[in-house]
Amino acid sequence: MLGQVRERGAGLEARLLARFGQHPHVGEIRAAGWFWALELVETGHRSAPLMRSAGSPRGSNSQALENGLMCYPMAGTLDGVSGDHVVLAPPYIISEAQTG
């Protein structure tokens, strides 16, 4: 199973980087095992956390579910208030076609 996660992870990483690598509100895309995080940042400031007034990643969850994706919005990961991420955790049995 670990071999499949590594193999599928490479495909998923490539697709995430292609889609969100230059997005103005995505600062970093990183993984720990099979958990992938997209860090949300201020436009033009890839290291500045998204301001709370801009909204919360929680609002993106309903849109993701409508498109068949389960994700985990994480707010306040920097200091309890700032530092938002969207975490993706695909199933271990995901197919190659589903990850690219």
Side-chain angles (χ1 to χ4, degrees):
M1 190 178 297
L2 182 56
Q4 179 168 310
V5 167
R6 287 184 181 134
E7 182 181 313
R8 301 293 185 266
L12 181 56
E13 178 180 26
R15 289 180 74 175
L16 289 172
L17 288 171
R19 175 63 179 91
F20 298 107
Q22 298 301 313
H23 192 284
H25 285 293
V26 176
E28 185 178 12
I29 299 170
R30 57 183 173 267
W34 199 218
F35 288 87
W36 289 83
L38 285 78
E39 177 186 24
L40 304 179
V41 298
E42 284 296 314
T43 301
H45 302 280
R46 296 190 67 81
S47 62
L50 188 65
M51 298 299 292
R52 180 57 43 201
S53 62
S56 168
R58 296 192 199 310
S60 62
N61 197 35
S62 60
Q63 185 175 358
L65 284 172
E66 288 175 18
N67 289 296
L69 174 66
M70 283 192 72
C71 63
Y72 304 92
M74 309 293 286
T77 56
L78 179 65
D79 59 9
V81 177
S82 300
D84 296 344
H85 294 76
V86 175
V87 175
L88 308 174
Y92 289 118
I93 59 170
I94 196 167
S95 72
E96 186 174 350
Q98 293 169 310
T99 61

